[in-house]
Amino acid sequence: TSSGVFLLQMGWGDLGAFGEPSKETPNLDQMAAEGMLFLDFYTANPLCSPSRAALLTGRLPVRNGFYTTNGHARNAYTPQDIVGGIPDSELLLPELLKKAGYVSKIIGKWHLGHRPQFHPLKHGFDEWFGSPNCHFGPYDNRERPNIPVYRDWEMIGRYYEDFKIDLKTGEANLTQLYLQEALDFISKQQASQQPFFLYWAIDATHAPVYASKQFLGTSQRGLYGDAVREIDDSVGKILNHLQQLGISEDTFVFFTSDNGAALISAPMQGGSNGPFLCGKQTTFEGGMREPAIAWWPGHIPAGGVSHQLGSVMDLFSTSLSLAGLQPPSDRQIDGIDLLPVILQGKLIDRPIFYYRGNELMAVRAGLYKAHYWTWSNSWEEHGKGIDFCPGQSVSGVTTHTQEEHTYLPLLFHLGRDPGEKFPLSFASEEYQRAVERISGLVQQHRATLVPGQPQLNVCDQAVMNWSPPGCEKLGKCLKAPESDPKKCSWPH
């Protein structure tokens, strides 16, 4: 069985199937109607790089090194000047799938480090079309270089130079290029009867948002909606292609996001997290609960809805299971195999750990969620207009100083209160019972936790994308400044 994972940045409330009122995602809604919707599915971190590292390793970012110790509970990712990336000691899903003869391709954003040792083809992928970082820019190539776009081992150009993104109109044809790459890869593998793993990690909904010409101005939700419509159209074309090739019953497809919608860039450049509190960057539900759809015609009963607590890390274990492989036994794997859930309707009891940087902020077990720390962002940042919870301040919950609740966790019942607005009374029997259970899970988790070497502590301008492999052929090599490693500063 081949497998495809579509990983984007979208909010729980961006899909019609999850209640978005303008109903502009007909293909994703149909995918949900033909497959299974996960209503309680989580990312492993409220930011892109660590959650992608978690998906591909099946391990929490605090284990795989995708965190910082430069500031308590700080989010960190892999900007151009980051020195770290995915360590060689981590085993990635495509490396393991090779044992079962799989060919793996990543299309879009890698985001697990951009120095040569972190290249995706050194970590199990056979093909790559996309970029190591987000499509930020344009840059002047003196202070900082424009971000490269790779085909396999070598760059083939740079964003804004060879791959145009018009920041005024929001026009870029990148999603169409990523779609064509996916269709061609699937056709090629089908022709050679090769099982494949396709990781389609496109970034059109990440600010600065873009869409191609035929989608611009077609949504009721501005440019962000245009980007969502184009992604929806692309997903429809990929699923249709699998059906036309006659391999849809042999291909497991999963659609989800790497973090909640970014509310700081809303309304024009950010999505919706539906009924949930706050957004990307926070460990409230809006930052970590994701839309998720599993599709596998002939295997997954149509119209299924699951309340299984799921995580992007489960895609690691589930994909291995589909290939008839066991997860590695020499390390802690946080993902679980979702096949019994998807195929037999089972519910597996497991907690969800909400980490932010090096701190366990909250834990969910069943319908209860206990917050051990609360923090959205600092007063200083908030005063500059950086708001991850616009219009959603909840007194004592969305705090602008880091508040510790270790001895008396803030407890919510997410069934009655999905928006985390009404903490349960400390004195109630319900509170005592739930907190006792969750405290036991936390103790167990902490007792066996071996944190990885933090990869996101050191920044150096010399390691930016000055001269990626292939730059000589294109005449696009740039002179790097002197190396000057510094501690990265992470404000959030």
Side-chain angles (χ1 to χ4, degrees), residues 86-150:
I86 194 70
D88 282 343
S89 56
E90 290 298 319
L91 288 170
L92 272 61
L93 179 57
E95 288 176 72
L96 296 165
L97 288 173
K98 271 193 169 30
K99 293 179 192 154
Y102 276 63
V103 175
S104 300
K105 177 161 188 158
I106 168 173
I107 297 174
K109 185 170 77 164
W110 166 240
H111 231 197
L112 299 194
H114 52 269
R115 294 168 68 209
Q117 65 266 42
F118 306 129
H119 193 294
L121 271 58
K122 285 198 175 164
H123 292 271
F125 282 101
D126 301 292
E127 297 182 22
W128 181 24
F129 178 76
S131 177
N133 306 78
C134 269
H135 55 277
F136 293 140
Y139 298 119
D140 61 4
N141 284 337
R142 284 189 296 278
E143 277 284 298
R144 54 185 47 218
N146 278 316
I147 308 281
V149 173
Y150 280 78

